[in-house]
Amino acid sequence: QADDPEGWDQCESPNGDLYYMHEVTKQVLWQHPLDYQYQQLYLEEKKKGQGKLDRRGSSNGAVVAPPKHGGSRGIDAPPAGGPVGSSDDALRRVLQQLLGTSHTELKRLLTEPATCRVPVRCFVIRHKSRMGGARFDFFMSISKTDDMYCFTAKKWSVSKGCYYSIALDQDDAKRAKASSSMPESYVGKVRSDRKAQEYTLYDDGASFDGKDKGGKSELRCELLHVNFSNSLRNRNPGAMTVVVPEVDSEGGMVPARPKDAAGQLNERLKRGDLGGLMELKNREPKWNPTSNMYQLDFHGRATLASCKNIQLHPKHGEQADVSFLMGKVEENKFNVDFKAPFSALQAFAFALIVFDNSSGSF
C-alpha cells in the first residue's frame, strides 16, 4: 500500500474500519486518498495498447469535432444519404442502455432526459484563461476504458451578467455569440443575472421577445433554473432551489416554453407555480460523532476538498436518492454523475452554474 500523502492521516473507527482525514480541511475519505490516481494511471497505461478512433461528426446532431482531451472515443460519420455504420449503431445501443432511452439521434440522446435509475458517470475538464472566457469540455464514460466527448461550453461576459454557449463542437462553442448566427452544433446556453444568483438553461430556440434569435425560429424551452440563496463561495454556503421540467410517461421532457415574461421559470418559481416541474435541493451533510464533523459520502467520486463538491436530490424525496453529483478529483477535472430527471445537457449546465457561482474558490 502507498504511503499516506502529505496532509492525510489514517484513522480507525470504533468498529475497526479504516478511514482517512485531511488535517487541514477535515475531509473524510473511506478509501486511500491515492486510490483514484492509481486507478487512472492503470487505465491510461491500458489505453496505450488500444487503438483510438478519431471523432468525426455530421450536421444532424452527431457528436462533432475531435476533442482536445486525449483518450476519448468518437464515432465515424456515415456517408451523406447513406446507411449508418455499424460503429454508430453500437454507440447508439450503448448510449440507449446507459441513459435508458430509445432515441436514435445522438443529439437527442444527449439533450433529452435520461430515464435510468443507475447514475451515468461523466466528467468535466476545465480550461482556465488569463484573458477570461474559460472553456469547459464534457465527457461521458461509456465503458471502463472509453470516454465519449459530448459538449464544449465557452463563457461570455455581457452587460447584464454572463452566459455560456454550449455546442457539440469545440470550435463552434467559441463562435456561438448571441449577436451572430448560431452554428448547427449549437444546443443551448446558460444565462446568469448580474449578481450570479439566478441561472437559466435555454435550448437553441428563439426568445419570446425576439431579442435572442437562437439557432431556430420556434420559441425556446427553458430546461433548468437555479436560484442561490447564498453563494457557494461562502464558507457556509446556503440553500439553493433547482427546478427542471418533469419527465412524462413516455420518457419525454414536459416542455416549459414561455410565451411571455410571466411564463419564465424564475417568475413561476416566485409564484409557486410548479406544475410540470420537479424541484431539487442540495443534499445536506450528516454529523459523524466518530470524526466529530459533518460529512457527506461521495463514494469515491470526489477525492479533493472543494466547495464545488455537491449532490442534488428531489426536494420531496429521500436524500439518498441523488439525481446529480459533482466531485473534484484533479485541479481541473470534476466528476459529474446524473440520472433521471436530468439529461446530459442539463447535468453539464448545472456543473457550469456551480463553476460560475463559486468562481474564485478552490
Side-chain angles (χ1 to χ4, degrees), residues 116-340:
C116 57
R117 302 308 302 170
V118 177
V120 180
R121 293 194 167 195
C122 308
F123 60 91
V124 174
I125 300 295
R126 174 177 58 183
H127 304 272
K128 295 181 179 179
S129 173
R130 294 182 180 180
M131 303 299 292
R135 194 184 88 242
F136 302 85
D137 294 327
F138 185 78
F139 297 83
M140 183 184 298
S141 298
I142 59 176
S143 73
K144 292 182 179 180
T145 57
D146 291 313
D147 304 315
M148 189 189 81
Y149 165 78
C150 299
F151 307 108
T152 290
K154 181 74 167 60
K155 182 177 180 178
W156 305 95
S157 296
V158 292
S159 59
K160 295 183 179 181
C162 74
Y163 73 90
Y164 293 79
S165 58
I166 305 175
L168 296 164
D169 183 297
Q170 290 179 330
D171 292 329
D172 282 349
K174 300 175 186 177
R175 297 195 298 265
K177 289 187 176 181
S179 58
S180 63
S181 60
M182 294 299 179
E184 292 188 37
S185 66
Y186 171 74
V187 293
K189 72 175 182 180
V190 174
R191 187 80 182 248
S192 79
D193 63 355
R194 289 179 177 177
K195 296 181 180 180
Q197 295 292 99
E198 290 196 49
Y199 297 81
T200 303
L201 168 65
Y202 305 96
D203 69 3
D204 56 350
S207 60
F208 62 84
D209 56 11
K211 294 181 180 180
D212 190 349
K213 299 300 182 182
K216 53 188 180 182
S217 59
E218 67 178 331
L219 288 179
R220 68 188 180 189
C221 286
E222 296 186 355
L223 307 178
L224 169 75
H225 180 75
V226 182
N227 180 285
F228 287 93
S229 302
N230 197 7
S231 173
L232 290 172
R233 292 189 294 270
N234 296 340
R235 285 295 180 183
N236 184 25
M240 68 180 77
T241 301
V242 181
V243 291
V244 297
E246 289 182 341
V247 181
D248 60 29
S249 58
E250 297 181 356
M253 186 181 299
V254 177
R257 199 186 307 272
K259 298 180 179 179
D260 51 37
Q264 297 178 109
L265 290 183
N266 62 330
E267 295 298 327
R268 292 179 58 185
L269 186 61
K270 293 176 184 178
R271 301 194 305 268
D273 177 14
L274 300 179
L277 301 174
M278 175 178 286
E279 190 173 356
L280 302 103
K281 62 172 292 185
N282 50 323
R283 189 180 182 190
E284 298 177 359
K286 293 185 177 181
W287 177 258
N288 187 328
T290 302
S291 59
N292 197 36
M293 64 179 293
Y294 286 98
Q295 66 182 52
L296 191 59
D297 190 2
F298 280 78
H299 305 285
R301 298 294 284 167
T303 57
L304 297 176
S306 173
C307 65
K308 299 175 180 65
N309 295 344
I310 190 170
Q311 298 180 28
L312 294 178
H313 68 90
K315 181 177 180 180
H316 303 294
E318 295 291 333
Q319 282 202 27
D321 185 20
V322 176
S323 300
F324 175 93
L325 177 151
M326 181 173 178
K328 186 174 183 178
V329 291
E330 295 177 14
E331 176 62 25
N332 291 302
K333 181 177 179 180
F334 296 77
N335 284 330
V336 172
D337 300 347
F338 72 93
K339 65 178 184 179

Side-chain angles (χ1 to χ4, degrees), residues 14-26:
N15 296 330
D17 297 324
L18 295 179
Y19 64 94
Y20 298 85
M21 180 183 294
H22 196 279
E23 59 187 24
V24 176
T25 65
K26 302 303 180 183

